Amino acid sequence: RFVPGLGTILCMNITLVRGDITEQDVDAVVNAANSSLLGGGGVDGAIHRRGGPEILDECRKLRASHYGGGLPTGQAVATTAGRLPARWVIHTVGPVYSASEDRSDLLASCYRESLRVADELGAASVAFPAVSAGIYGWPMDDAARIAVGTVRAAQTKVADARFVLFDEDAYAAFERAV
Ligand code: ADP
């Protein structure tokens, strides 16, 4: 939005949705992937099941061409979205939660890097899951605080950021964080 005297202001809407990320009608959905990029449980499993084999094919090619050692934690990379309503899947690898080591910067990096990739793609709407808050064990309130704080502070052209929360507890945690 151009505001006389101030220049261009980037405005972002943050929305919370209770539901399934694979059903979101957005430009890009973020996948809570693991570094192998070859599929897993949780969000990752759901995206590959619903999106079909095209996504996995592209992931395999990315592994071979760029990420022989796997996608590093905190980074993000895009593929097409196969049969999902979205156009792209942005795969990011969250850190496994540790009670003895603060890995918050890596979790924040997942959101920042996903938005950076979204900007590169020209994606205006992006749906995020609660990265690291499932199999990777992150306490939901802390994961929500990092997710919301990082997305809110990001310099991005993404206009619609949507957190898609699978269950009541996750939704409530994100509501508190917002
Ligand atoms: P991680 O391995 O990064 O912890 P998970 O996929 O195990 O990621 O879980 C991340 C969060 O996503 C959890 O809160 C989980 O309940 C939720 N989740 C699982 N499946 C879906 C889905 N289809 N849509 C949205 N959220 C989901």
Side-chain angles (χ1 to χ4, degrees):
R1 179 157 77 92
F2 185 78
V3 180
L6 290 175
T8 303
I9 295 186
L10 301 175
C11 299
M12 182 203 268
N13 263 321
I14 295 183
T15 320
L16 305 185
V17 177
R18 170 99 192 265
D20 183 333
I21 198 159
T22 64
E23 291 170 4
Q24 300 301 307
D25 191 7
V26 284
D27 294 330
V29 297
V30 172
N31 181 17
N34 59 55
S35 76
S36 80
L37 290 176
L38 301 179
V43 173
D44 203 8
I47 283 178
H48 285 292
R49 256 193 318 278
R50 288 284 292 267
E54 205 183 309
I55 302 173
L56 197 56
D57 270 3
E58 257 195 71
C59 284
R60 286 209 180 91
K61 286 182 191 141
L62 277 170
R63 269 302 293 270
S65 62
H66 287 82
Y67 301 106
L71 180 65
T73 305
Q75 294 193 20
V77 68
T79 65
T80 53
R83 295 194 288 260
L84 297 181
R87 202 157 152 207
W88 297 287
V89 175
I90 299 173
H91 306 264
T92 190
V93 182
V96 174
Y97 180 72
S98 162
S100 57
E101 185 191 0
D102 183 7
R103 299 179 178 163
S104 308
D105 287 348
L106 282 169
L107 185 53
S109 170
C110 288
Y111 291 96
R112 267 194 303 270
E113 287 298 300
S114 294
L115 288 169
R116 189 184 58 72
V117 170
D119 281 340
E120 274 173 21
L121 295 166
S125 53
V126 178
F128 292 95
V131 177
S132 288
I135 297 161
Y136 283 1
W138 212 287
M140 190 56 83
D141 273 305
D142 202 37
R145 191 181 52 74
I146 293 165
V148 171
T150 306
V151 169
R152 219 180 231 162
Q155 293 275 335
T156 174
K157 293 193 205 92
V158 171
D160 169 15
R162 204 178 290 185
F163 291 105
V164 184
L165 296 322
F166 211 38
D167 57 46
E168 189 67 46
D169 285 355
Y171 189 89
F174 273 74
E175 244 180 354
R176 284 190 288 274
V178 165

